[in-house]
Amino acid sequence: MEKCYLMTAVVLLGLTVRWTVSLNSYSGAGKPPMFGDYEAQRHWQEITINLPIKQWYFNGSDNNLQYWGLDYPPLTAYHSLLCAYVAKFINPDWIALHTSRGYESQAHKLFMRATVLIADLLIYIPAVVLYCCCLKEISTKKKIANALCILLYPGLILIDYGHFQYNSVSLGFALWGVLGVSYDWDLLGSLAFCLAINYKQMELYHSLPFFCFLLGKCFKKGLKGKGFVLLIKLACTVVASFILCWLPFFTEREQTLQVLRRLFPVDRGLFEDKVANIWCTFSVFLKIRDILPHHIQIMISFCFTFLSLLPTCIKLTLHPSPKGFKFTLVSCALSFFLFSFQVHEKSILLVSLPVCLVLREIPFMSTWFLLVSTFSMLPLLLKDELLMPSVVTVMAFFIACATSFSIFEKTSEEELQLKSFSISVRKYFPCFTFFPRIIRHLFLISVMTMVLLTLMTVTLDPPQKLPDLFSVLVCFVSCLNFLFFLVYFNIIIMWDSKNGRNQKKIN
Amino acid sequence: MAALGVATGGGDWFSALALGVTLLKCLLIPTYHSTDFEVHRNWLAITHSLPISQWYYEATSEWTLDYPPFFAWFEYALSHVAKYFDQEMLNVRNLNYSSSRTLLFQRFSVIFTDTLFVYAVHECCKCIDGKKAGRELTEKPKFILSVLLLWNFGLLIVDHIHFQYNGFLSGLMLLSIARLFQKRHKEGAFLFAVLLHFKHIYLYVAPAYGVYLLRSYCFTANKPDGSIRWNSFSFLRLISLGLIVFLVSALSLGPFLALNQLPQVFSRLFPFKRGLCHAYWAPNFWALYSALDKVLSIIGLELKFLDPSKIPKASMTSGLVQQFQHTVLPSVTPLATLICTLIAILGPEAFSDV
């Protein structure tokens, strides 16, 4: 019973933080003619309620795709339609065709923020609560502390309730997928994950681990018996859910193709704006975007992405386990973020969600990663005038993690899951015993750099010749951190089985 | 790293609570603020730009200074920090001035002065004996008290949304209570005297303080069964308490006594012209009284006992701050309310043992 009260208090605290952040400005506030993501979402409500489905993704006199054309899968469109019906009931001016462009008012802001809160409350938050309650081998207090830390993760709060997006829907569905698949509710899990992909196509970053894990489960059950049945059932579930979501768009070939063209804009180039991935960082030294032709860029990005995630995915297929699954989600999503095509800085949230799930296993490294992920979005947050809520939520998150998990005491080799790796390293370098110390020093350097860069970006003006200096520096530092984490997560995944094998030998 | 680990380790829940609620207060900065925000901006302007002789006479804004002198000095001190945020807020003529820097300064001043409240709560927790409780953190009395006080949502809403400075004032009161618990009576009395000259509404609890100090401090010994030993009364102690109160009052009201402004100050502090109930009724006895009067007048009008032309419309419920007469029940004078209050305070004591 006490657990219920404490968990409720934690959820309410999370909601309070979310709602107070939502009082601040949103993306593109008061900035005609294009405004920002807030206007994009409002525009999609306008399009979906006023135009027939066949015109949603097409360019036309009523639907100018250059002005925030729909570029998310159908489920986002249906969600916008639902919101638009409510908006029509309250004030039709908000979604009147053409005339409501750039509509801004306090009442409308309240409505939009409320839609985010409701979606969050219905999908993401229950998933987090259920996930924490189902954790095994830890006390009730630790479960609740875990829930508090996940709910206080600043990146998601600032983007959803500040900048304005609906990431909690897609991440929530993905989390339901993880829950289902980890606890052997495979069909429901894959259904949930299909819904996630059909809400935002970026969830494809998570698709390979899901695929490999489920495939691995089928293999384990034996492909000639139960495994094969499971495989067929899963395939049917996936196909059925896709057909259900895309039904109105499957009537004509041209419809389907146009939607795909909007979802995957391969013409747009290797990266856009400043993002903390390899290509943007590399282009500081060498302008690959201008040097290499388009199709070569796509090829290189494809190769790097798949080469970097192949080892962990193969490992997951051969040895499927819920723990391995979560870690592979992290490394896969991180590989995609670092090497893939047209990555936006907000895509780091797709890596942050699985990292939140492994907070309990490696609290120190997870907290560190989640801090860096929020920092990597600093230029975006500053543009939206979210400095105060950013600083406050980051500090709150840090304090919550530090007090809940005592992270600074958990930096031994064992607790960083590096034991088996360091044993292997010590076979060649017997005196190498200072992993924890190195990692603690790196953490200090990382945090100091982030704090310094934040102060500099806020207080100083960049030199005239290099107007983007601070954004580029933020991306550069974040990218270095992310590369380090990519190596770290790959190490602990690949060396995990060796630990298991050694233990079996000892026993 | 180790120091940071210790500071953020599981043992220091008090710091985590205090820091957590401070961060929440920072998140409340962009929320709605009431006219009290303008009240305090106006007082910053008055105390900064005008000489002391004008403080209680200035009336450019409708929000005149109606707190005791120590609060005026507090605003004066704040105004010297305010000038680095936005000089314009210190202009008396800038009515309803609320630039983003003004807002930031005012909000931060409340958050900063709450440090006294945090310290006072810490002192109060030291006075609690938590040895009988279980090992669970949530069962420890110190933890429960800290949560109830530090995360008091009423205080959060009134101080950090509506906008007032009750945090550090409550801190002063809690600190004086803690000192009384710690048997440091003179300090407790001093702190309470100071508090009274910050916000005179704490006169509400002055009788309790007076009686407690009289009983526990002025009577130096008890009989074996705990009851009062009348011949242990110490005049010296009584005089020392009186001296403390006198000196604090002298410091506060002295300058205005010298300027012959005491009547004006008192008329500002005790504005009986404002009427029995405030614009928004406090949920007290007089609200019931006024409501009953309203109901009776409506019944009277329906049954034609009362003459409609003699009754003013919406006299008490209009939300205005003014004096008025009750229609059916007898009107209530300030003296009557004082007598009722004294009866309510002293009545139960007449039935209890001294």
Side-chain angles (χ1 to χ4, degrees), chain A residues 2 20 23 392 396 402-403 408, chain B residues 1 8 23 26-28 31 108 138:
Chain A
E2 196 189 295
T20 48
L23 293 168
V392 171
T403 42
F408 295 110
Chain B
M1 183 67 89
T8 54
L23 291 170
C26 292
L27 281 177
L28 290 174
T31 50
F108 272 132
T138 49

Side-chain angles (χ1 to χ4, degrees), chain A residues 2 6 13 16-17 20-21 23-24 141 388-389 392-393 395-396 398-399 402-403 406 408-409 440 443-444, chain B residues 1 4-5 8-10 12 16 19-20 23-24 26-31 104 108 136-139 151 153:
Chain A
E2 196 189 295
L6 283 174
L13 191 64
T16 310
V17 173
T20 48
V21 170
L23 293 168
N24 292 282
K141 268 182 68 183
M388 170 73 78
V392 171
T393 44
M395 282 172 65
F398 182 67
I399 291 170
T403 42
S406 313
F408 295 110
E409 293 156 23
R440 280 200 290 265
F443 173 76
L444 268 174
Chain B
M1 183 67 89
L4 198 60
T8 54
D12 208 359
L19 269 168
L23 291 170
L24 182 62
C26 292
L27 281 177
L28 290 174
I29 287 179
T31 50
L104 209 63
F108 272 132
E136 264 296 314
L137 180 65
T138 49
E139 283 172 20
W151 283 74
F153 272 87

Side-chain angles (χ1 to χ4, degrees), chain A residues 229-244:
Chain A
V229 173
L230 181 62
L231 193 64
I232 298 292
K233 279 196 208 167
L234 286 169
C236 290
T237 316
V238 171
V239 169
S241 51
F242 267 83
I243 290 178
L244 212 66

Side-chain angles (χ1 to χ4, degrees), chain B residues 4-293:
Chain B
L4 198 60
V6 165
T8 54
D12 208 359
W13 47 264
F14 188 83
S15 308
L17 281 177
L19 269 168
V21 80
T22 309
L23 291 170
L24 182 62
K25 290 170 191 171
C26 292
L27 281 177
L28 290 174
I29 287 179
T31 50
Y32 155 84
H33 56 78
S34 67
T35 49
D36 272 339
F37 181 85
E38 165 62 15
V39 168
H40 289 280
R41 185 215 60 80
N42 187 39
W43 294 354
L44 279 173
I46 290 177
T47 52
H48 189 87
S49 340
L50 301 174
I52 299 179
S53 54
Q54 297 274 348
W55 285 3
Y56 283 94
Y57 280 92
E58 169 59 38
T60 313
S61 160
E62 60 182 302
W63 311 116
T64 56
L65 187 57
D66 55 5
Y67 276 16
F70 277 175
F71 201 89
W73 288 111
F74 168 71
E75 293 278 7
Y76 178 70
L78 278 181
S79 70
H80 284 288
V81 183
K83 66 185 181 202
Y84 296 112
F85 277 76
D86 188 345
Q87 191 77 20
E88 291 301 307
M89 77 170 103
L90 300 172
N91 186 340
V92 182
R93 307 218 175 279
N94 274 343
L95 297 182
N96 292 313
Y97 185 76
S98 58
S99 70
S100 57
R101 286 184 147 217
T102 311
L103 184 76
L104 209 63
F105 168 72
Q106 296 259 60
R107 291 282 195 207
F108 272 132
S109 67
V110 186
I111 295 173
F112 181 72
T113 49
D114 271 0
T115 343
L116 182 60
F117 184 69
V118 173
Y119 172 67
V121 173
H122 193 247
E123 289 293 304
C124 280
C125 285
K126 282 204 278 192
C127 300
I128 293 188
D129 176 27
K131 287 178 201 130
K132 291 176 220 161
R135 286 198 57 211
E136 264 296 314
L137 180 65
T138 49
E139 283 172 20
K140 285 194 190 151
K142 288 184 204 263
F143 179 78
I144 296 173
L145 182 68
S146 302
V147 170
L148 287 175
L149 286 174
L150 287 174
W151 283 74
N152 186 325
F153 272 87
L155 198 60
L156 278 174
I157 291 176
V158 172
D159 264 21
H160 301 278
I161 299 182
H162 183 87
F163 198 88
Q164 277 207 335
Y165 284 92
N166 295 305
F168 87 94
L169 294 171
S170 305
L172 267 177
M173 189 168 93
L174 285 174
L175 198 57
S176 82
I177 293 174
R179 293 289 176 253
L180 292 181
F181 265 75
Q182 291 163 353
K183 308 263 186 257
R184 288 148 77 167
H185 295 99
K186 289 214 281 271
E187 282 182 48
F190 170 73
L191 287 166
F192 185 69
V194 167
L195 176 65
L196 275 182
H197 286 278
F198 264 107
K199 194 167 179 177
H200 52 297
I201 208 167
Y202 288 93
L203 276 172
Y204 283 10
V205 293
Y209 265 86
V211 171
Y212 178 80
L213 282 169
L214 203 63
R215 169 69 182 90
S216 303
Y217 185 60
C218 297
F219 287 96
T220 49
N222 289 334
K223 290 197 192 135
D225 62 354
S227 65
I228 197 167
R229 193 193 283 267
W230 293 97
N231 56 8
S232 69
F233 185 77
S234 161
F235 260 112
L236 190 66
R237 288 194 171 187
L238 182 67
I239 290 176
S240 67
L241 284 180
L243 202 65
I244 291 172
V245 175
F246 175 74
L247 284 172
V248 171
S249 306
L251 194 65
S252 158
L253 298 169
F256 299 96
L257 186 64
L259 290 165
N260 264 329
Q261 286 187 354
L262 268 187
Q264 171 68 1
V265 173
F266 276 121
S267 77
R268 284 284 180 92
L269 257 53
F270 301 101
F272 289 111
K273 291 214 172 55
R274 282 201 191 159
L276 186 61
C277 294
H278 197 49
Y280 290 109
W281 290 3
N284 63 6
F285 177 76
W286 302 118
L288 288 176
Y289 189 86
S290 302
L292 184 63
D293 183 70

Side-chain angles (χ1 to χ4, degrees), chain A residues 143-188:
Chain A
K143 287 185 190 177
I144 293 169
N146 204 341
L148 179 68
C149 292
I150 298 180
L151 286 178
L152 282 183
Y153 168 56
L156 186 58
I157 299 177
L158 291 165
I159 294 295
D160 268 18
Y161 290 87
H163 180 84
F164 200 91
Q165 279 210 330
Y166 289 98
N167 291 302
S168 51
V169 178
S170 58
L171 291 175
F173 278 134
L175 186 50
W176 282 110
V178 170
L179 267 170
V181 154
S182 302
Y183 291 100
D184 291 327
W185 291 72
D186 295 326
L187 294 179
L188 288 174

